[in-house]
Amino acid sequence: MARDRNREYVYGNNAVMAVLDTNAGNRKIYKLFIKKNKKRSPIIKSITDLCRKKNVQVIEQDGHRFDSYFEPHLSRLDLESAQGIILEVSPYNYYDLDHYLNSQTTGKSFLIMLDGVTDVGNFGSVLRNCSAFGADGIIVAKNRSVQVNQRVAKTSAGALEKVRVFRVTNLARTMEKLKDNQFWVYGSQVENAESIQKAPLNFPLVMVMGSEFKGISALIAKKCDYLVRIDMSQNIQSLNVSVASGIIMYWIYKGLKS
């Protein structure tokens, strides 16, 4: 079966429930597929109830037919983690950054920008951190960057539906646009930076974070108003972006509450 580029598959209890309940990516929802031997837990009942309210067709299939139907679309690992429930949807629609800047920011807004982060698992973790610590959204580049896809929906465990994701053509120009809209631009790097625990946090702000080892690019670092680091033991040189973003967002969250 050829893959339909206009359709994706959101899988796993939490991810499916989040799309049905919120649908922040404004996806078109086509059908829900459930394995016949799937245990009817409270969350499954909630999911099927929502489908009925939204007129989404629910299809039950035996295990063999379920797996063979989705094998052309999902890897074996994805199918094993699907928990026997898959929602067929259209691709995610990114939020419009100009609309956000013109009508949805406040004096306490904060955003995360990812520079060169390509790992889907890390992206899902950053989305969860954003949801946990109240970030307004994440900015990613169209090229050489992770994009929203069905695996991101799964690894974010529903957080994708709670956090805006903006996709832009050029990060450097976007930083200038944010500055024009009164945002302070911070960058995270290991060297030649001030401790995040001591740095002044001015809002609204955007925090730029890069991949492990490479970090943010020299051009991006040059455009930041402040460069901050996480204080660490000398036994370790860097943290991956999923861990680092959680620590940094914790301190931003504390700054918001102080």
Side-chain angles (χ1 to χ4, degrees), residues 50-190:
L50 266 177
C51 284
R52 281 193 290 272
K53 288 178 183 177
K54 296 175 181 288
N55 296 315
V56 175
Q57 183 182 5
V58 177
I59 298 173
E60 293 195 33
Q61 296 176 325
D62 62 43
H64 175 73
R65 183 165 183 172
F66 182 94
D67 289 346
S68 62
Y69 182 86
F70 288 106
E71 278 172 356
H73 309 291
L74 300 173
S75 70
R76 174 53 54 184
L77 182 62
D78 291 335
L79 269 176
E80 289 173 356
S81 64
Q83 299 175 293
I85 185 164
I86 298 176
L87 190 67
E88 186 179 62
V89 298
S90 64
Y92 181 91
N93 292 288
Y94 292 88
Y95 279 80
D96 183 84
L97 183 61
D98 289 330
H99 175 69
Y100 166 78
L101 292 175
N102 290 333
S103 62
Q104 296 178 308
T105 61
T106 71
K108 293 292 187 179
S109 294
F110 86 88
L111 300 167
I112 297 296
M113 178 183 284
L114 299 181
D115 177 22
V117 175
T118 58
D119 183 80
V120 169
N122 279 335
F123 188 32
S125 295
V126 174
L127 280 162
R128 293 198 301 273
N129 291 336
C130 285
S131 178
F133 295 112
D136 284 13
I138 299 180
I139 301 170
V140 297
K142 285 184 177 179
N143 299 314
R144 295 184 295 279
S145 174
V146 68
Q147 306 295 312
V148 173
N149 58 30
Q150 52 203 29
R151 190 167 292 174
V152 169
K154 169 63 176 176
T155 58
S156 74
L160 177 61
E161 303 303 319
K162 300 181 174 111
V163 179
R164 301 173 183 89
V165 182
F166 308 96
R167 187 169 64 174
V168 300
T169 303
N170 185 283
L171 294 182
R173 285 201 296 268
T174 299
M175 292 167 73
E176 294 298 334
K177 179 185 288 188
L178 288 163
K179 288 182 181 183
D180 290 342
N181 283 270
Q182 313 308 313
F183 273 74
W184 292 82
V185 180
Y186 291 74
S188 170
Q189 66 178 29
V190 176

Side-chain angles (χ1 to χ4, degrees), residues 10-25 27 29 43 47 50 54 87 153 156-162:
V10 175
Y11 49 91
N13 293 341
N14 292 329
V16 168
M17 184 66 184
V19 172
L20 287 167
D21 189 41
T22 307
N23 197 12
R27 303 170 185 259
I29 300 172
I43 190 170
I47 286 170
L50 266 177
K54 296 175 181 288
L87 190 67
S156 74
L160 177 61
E161 303 303 319
K162 300 181 174 111

Side-chain angles (χ1 to χ4, degrees), residues 121-126 128-129 239-247 249:
N122 279 335
F123 188 32
S125 295
V126 174
R128 293 198 301 273
N129 291 336
L239 300 169
N240 69 33
V241 70
S242 64
V243 175
S245 68
I247 295 170
M249 279 190 261

